[in-house]
Amino acid sequence: ETGVTQSPTHLIKTRGQQVTLRCSSQSGHNTVSWYQQALGQGPQFIFQYYREEENGRGNFPPRFSGLQFPNYSSELNVNALELDDSALYLCASSLLSGGTPSTQYFGPGTRLTVL
Amino acid sequence: AQSVTQLDSQVPVFEEAPVELRCNYSSSVSVYLFWYVQYPNQGLQLLLKYLSGSTLVESINGFEAEFNKSQTSFHLRKPSVHISDTAEYFCAVSPTGANNLFFGTGTRLTVIP
């Protein structure tokens, strides 16, 4: 059973550029959540995808968007990058079934630096 | 709305001493409670969780946490820490019916030899 993987591990961009981060979910999972972890802070929920549809969103502007593919992998896209977007981006996968919360398994993250 | 407060940003403790990492939360709805650990240059790993039932939950590596509804707390404890417990610990809540997590700002536990 493979865990959650993310690519790339590190990325450097300049203000105004666009970036795409990728996540492969754990085998058997149908849900992917994305979090932003700024330096010295706890992760903040960006959004979640369940069976290719957005299933909840945190307090992030529309320039943060995402996709989930039929194999349940996912992308996070950020347009018009700002300096404050510099952070560790974490992907977590889980198996959503019924009303009980499922354990979220986190990937190692992508460190994005915006200059 | 939900919020999680971890009052101690850093906790140094000597090896084999006990430790308590504090977590308080506020929420307008019922929540589930979690502790995650983050080792250097790694992602988050679930340490333990409270969903229902016994208010005392334990992890496989000796940590335990007790849900106190009246004090809205979920403090993490370990009676004897090891060097390998050095890490960042995050408390998190998930509203019932939702599947996303709200995290505190974390507590860095440093175990001193």
Side-chain angles (χ1 to χ4, degrees), chain B residues 96-108:
Chain B
T96 54
N99 196 42
N100 54 298
L101 296 164
F102 293 87
F103 287 88
T105 52
T107 297
R108 176 162 296 280

Side-chain angles (χ1 to χ4, degrees), chain B residues 19-58:
Chain B
V19 70
E20 179 179 80
L21 307 183
R22 296 179 292 169
C23 172
N24 288 88
Y25 70 92
S26 67
S27 176
S28 55
V29 299
S30 298
V31 296
Y32 301 115
L33 297 151
F34 305 81
W35 276 98
Y36 279 83
V37 58
Q38 187 174 35
Y39 297 102
N41 300 314
Q42 295 187 28
L44 297 164
Q45 300 175 32
L46 179 67
L47 192 57
L48 46 76
K49 61 184 177 183
Y50 171 78
L51 303 182
S52 64
S54 172
T55 57
L56 183 66
V57 290
E58 298 176 352

Side-chain angles (χ1 to χ4, degrees), chain A residues 74-95:
Chain A
S74 177
E75 286 183 354
L76 164 65
N77 298 290
V78 187
N79 293 321
L81 283 167
E82 301 177 0
L83 295 179
D84 285 349
D85 295 334
S86 295
L88 180 68
Y89 287 84
L90 295 166
C91 165
S93 76
S94 56
L95 177 61

Side-chain angles (χ1 to χ4, degrees), chain A residues 11 13-21 76-81:
Chain A
L11 202 53
K13 292 286 189 177
T14 56
R15 276 186 304 173
Q17 285 188 310
Q18 179 266 343
V19 69
T20 298
L21 309 182
L76 164 65
N77 298 290
V78 187
N79 293 321
L81 283 167

Side-chain angles (χ1 to χ4, degrees), chain A residues 11-12 25 28 39 48 50 59-60 62 65 70 74-75 95 100 102 107:
Chain A
L11 202 53
I12 298 175
S25 59
L39 200 61
Q48 181 181 90
Y50 169 63
N59 189 27
F60 280 80
S65 63
S74 177
E75 286 183 354
L95 177 61
T100 56
S102 54

Side-chain angles (χ1 to χ4, degrees), chain A residues 28-49:
Chain A
H29 287 180
N30 57 15
T31 303
V32 172
S33 303
W34 286 92
Y35 294 83
Q36 181 195 66
Q37 185 178 14
L39 200 61
Q41 300 295 316
Q44 291 194 41
F45 175 67
I46 304 175
F47 45 57
Q48 181 181 90
Y49 279 82

